[in-house]
Amino acid sequence: MLYIALSLVVLLLGLLSVFEWHKSRKLSAAALQRLHKRVSEHLSLHEYEAAARLVEKLRRKAPSDPTTQLLYIQQLRKSKRLDEALAVIEEALNADHTSLLVLREKGKILLTQGSNLEALSVLRKCRAVLHSEEDRLYLARAYYRCGEVESAWNAICDLVSGSENGKLLALAGDCCFSRESYEEALRFYSRASSFEQNNTQLLFRTGHCLRRLGHYREAEECFLAILQRDSRNISATLSLGACLEAQGLYTKALLVYQHGQAWELSDPRVLRQAGICAIHTERFEFGELYLKQAMELGGATPQLMGFLGYALERQAKWEEAQSVYLELTRRYPRHPAGYRGIAWLYGVGLSSAISADLARHMAQKSIEISSDKVSWEMLSAVEARSGNFTQAHHIQECLSQQEADEQTAMRHKRAMRELRAGRPLDETFVSHTLVA
């Protein structure tokens, strides 16, 4: 009897423990809702470790609950564990591919990873559940990054008036900047800076907005502030230099490029601008040196090569200049500078290595690309050098009649007198700076 009694006690205790275990595993609807709310609060306050602990509890006690799964994905996303989050998302979508809330999280992660087109495609599909300011900000960012500026603006325009979200206001500023509404962009950037303290990117955008508005001194202050934080910031160095160049302060700009910490990085963009400033200040040897270094580092542009050719011309290095202009035509066949350079060297009699046919072809090619006064002046010089004085005179006469600047019109008239006398044109009749 004693054995039977003990067996019954053990059985009852076992049943009681099983009951308590099941009780501990199940959550009431109210308790589940309270835990969901607490996780959401932790996530909104960026308390990701606390959120993670509660999410683990939810996953143990309510593993099949859709909200628990969604919160788990959000906790992973906001903790920057993006690959893990995507794996959970794919699992969830395999179970229910129509879940817009899960798709929303996928779109946000794809955007964070830089897959902008894919992110926009996903976010468009779940537009019906994009209600919060954060959701709409992600959608607007996707539109903006894909070049759909108006759609980006439309996604947030009704939020901006009362928003205290610095990132949303900054994006509104970017939309206005893209539309060249610089005053409006500046107002948004100013508001955004109230909520985004020490945001270098926002300060950079503000500086560019001020520069576009011609407020160069204020723009300089923005870029100087960035350089005080990071003296090797190439973008801020170039932007500060651009402000000075816009004011014609090429010597100061050159000093910014040469003496800034960014100079040590040998960035081709900094070398290019230093070279251009050196040429503007008639330091042609330095201009040649810096521009050649920039080219060697892969920083060739039509502007760089045009200025390099000009620097070589000013040092009477005619054959080298010719080589640069020919290379320019090969690399950038739809840019007129190379064709104009060859035509000018022949037209003013500085190169004996260029044939009349090649020079005429180059001048005509320049006109095909850009039928402006510069191109026609090059053709006039080429025609005169090859003995076609009547044709050259006719071009100069047309240019003179169309010219509003009195000094330039007088130069054309002096050129016409030379042509009537049967003499070709030299540098005094064909503006040297027109080529570069």
Side-chain angles (χ1 to χ4, degrees), residues 133 136-141 151-161 167-169 171-173 175:
E133 188 175 73
R136 291 170 65 181
L137 176 56
Y138 268 96
L139 177 63
R141 278 179 181 160
S151 295
W153 172 253
N154 291 334
I156 58 172
C157 61
D158 62 324
L159 301 175
V160 296
S161 61
K167 292 180 174 59
L168 185 141
L169 293 169
L171 181 58
C175 291

Side-chain angles (χ1 to χ4, degrees), residues 19-245:
F19 174 76
E20 290 295 329
W21 179 75
H22 274 287
K23 182 180 177 182
S24 67
R25 277 187 58 84
K26 297 183 69 175
L27 286 173
S28 67
L32 192 62
Q33 192 173 10
R34 284 196 298 271
L35 279 175
H36 289 163
K37 184 178 180 182
R38 286 175 61 194
V39 172
S40 295
E41 288 172 351
H42 284 309
L43 290 175
S44 65
L45 295 171
H46 309 290
E47 297 169 353
Y48 302 131
E49 290 184 9
R53 289 192 293 270
L54 287 179
V55 166
E56 282 305 306
K57 182 178 180 180
L58 281 166
R59 292 182 68 211
R60 287 195 306 272
K61 296 190 174 186
S64 59
D65 175 57
T67 304
T68 295
Q69 191 175 48
L70 185 65
L71 288 171
Y72 180 39
I73 293 168
Q74 290 175 342
Q75 178 256 314
L76 291 172
R77 174 173 64 80
K78 295 194 175 189
S79 301
K80 309 300 182 186
R81 296 162 62 184
L82 304 183
D83 290 336
E84 293 176 67
L86 281 176
V88 177
I89 285 171
E90 292 309 314
E91 183 181 333
L93 290 175
N94 284 334
D96 179 11
H97 69 276
T98 64
S99 176
L100 297 183
L101 294 175
V102 175
L103 274 175
R104 179 188 66 189
E105 296 303 310
K106 182 177 181 179
K108 290 180 179 181
I109 291 172
L110 289 170
L111 190 67
T112 303
Q113 292 180 325
S115 301
N116 301 322
L117 287 171
E118 189 178 357
L120 180 57
S121 176
V122 171
L123 290 170
R124 275 174 166 162
K125 290 177 183 177
C126 54
R127 184 67 187 267
V129 295
L130 300 181
H131 301 305
S132 72
E133 188 175 73
E134 179 191 276
D135 293 345
R136 291 170 65 181
L137 176 56
Y138 268 96
L139 177 63
R141 278 179 181 160
Y143 276 125
Y144 185 81
R145 290 183 187 178
C146 293
E148 298 186 34
V149 176
E150 287 304 313
S151 295
W153 172 253
N154 291 334
I156 58 172
C157 61
D158 62 324
L159 301 175
V160 296
S161 61
S163 178
E164 294 184 355
N165 185 328
K167 292 180 174 59
L168 185 141
L169 293 169
L171 181 58
D174 291 342
C175 291
C176 293
F177 190 95
S178 296
R179 296 184 301 188
E180 300 184 6
S181 301
Y182 302 122
E183 292 282 4
E184 191 175 4
L186 192 59
R187 286 195 291 271
F188 281 122
Y189 291 147
S190 178
R191 285 177 58 195
S193 65
S194 301
F195 308 104
E196 294 282 317
Q197 301 297 324
N198 300 317
N199 186 320
T200 298
Q201 188 61 31
L202 183 57
L203 188 59
F204 187 75
R205 294 170 184 170
T206 301
H208 273 294
C209 205
L210 289 164
R211 183 170 71 86
R212 292 297 183 93
L213 289 168
H215 304 325
Y216 296 116
R217 295 295 175 86
E218 295 173 61
E220 287 169 34
E221 291 176 7
C222 292
F223 300 128
L224 282 169
I226 295 172
L227 289 170
Q228 287 172 357
R229 300 175 189 175
D230 177 12
S231 60
R232 295 164 71 86
N233 188 306
I234 291 172
S235 295
T237 300
L238 289 167
S239 299
L240 176 58
C243 288
L244 296 167
E245 288 184 52

Side-chain angles (χ1 to χ4, degrees), residues 206-308:
T206 301
H208 273 294
C209 205
L210 289 164
R211 183 170 71 86
R212 292 297 183 93
L213 289 168
H215 304 325
Y216 296 116
R217 295 295 175 86
E218 295 173 61
E220 287 169 34
E221 291 176 7
C222 292
F223 300 128
L224 282 169
I226 295 172
L227 289 170
Q228 287 172 357
R229 300 175 189 175
D230 177 12
S231 60
R232 295 164 71 86
N233 188 306
I234 291 172
S235 295
T237 300
L238 289 167
S239 299
L240 176 58
C243 288
L244 296 167
E245 288 184 52
Q247 299 171 79
L249 303 174
Y250 296 108
T251 300
K252 286 187 176 181
L254 181 57
L255 290 173
V256 166
Y257 299 133
Q258 288 177 321
H259 297 291
Q261 293 292 314
W263 185 257
E264 300 173 6
L265 302 175
S266 297
D267 186 276
R269 294 168 296 174
V270 176
L271 286 165
R272 180 193 66 208
Q273 291 309 122
I276 290 172
C277 287
I279 291 168
H280 278 297
T281 56
E282 300 192 351
R283 296 175 173 90
F284 300 113
E285 290 183 7
F286 286 107
E288 176 191 349
L289 174 64
Y290 298 153
L291 293 176
K292 282 183 174 179
Q293 287 178 346
M295 279 192 67
E296 289 171 4
L297 293 168
T301 65
Q303 182 197 40
L304 182 154
M305 296 183 74
F307 270 97
L308 176 56

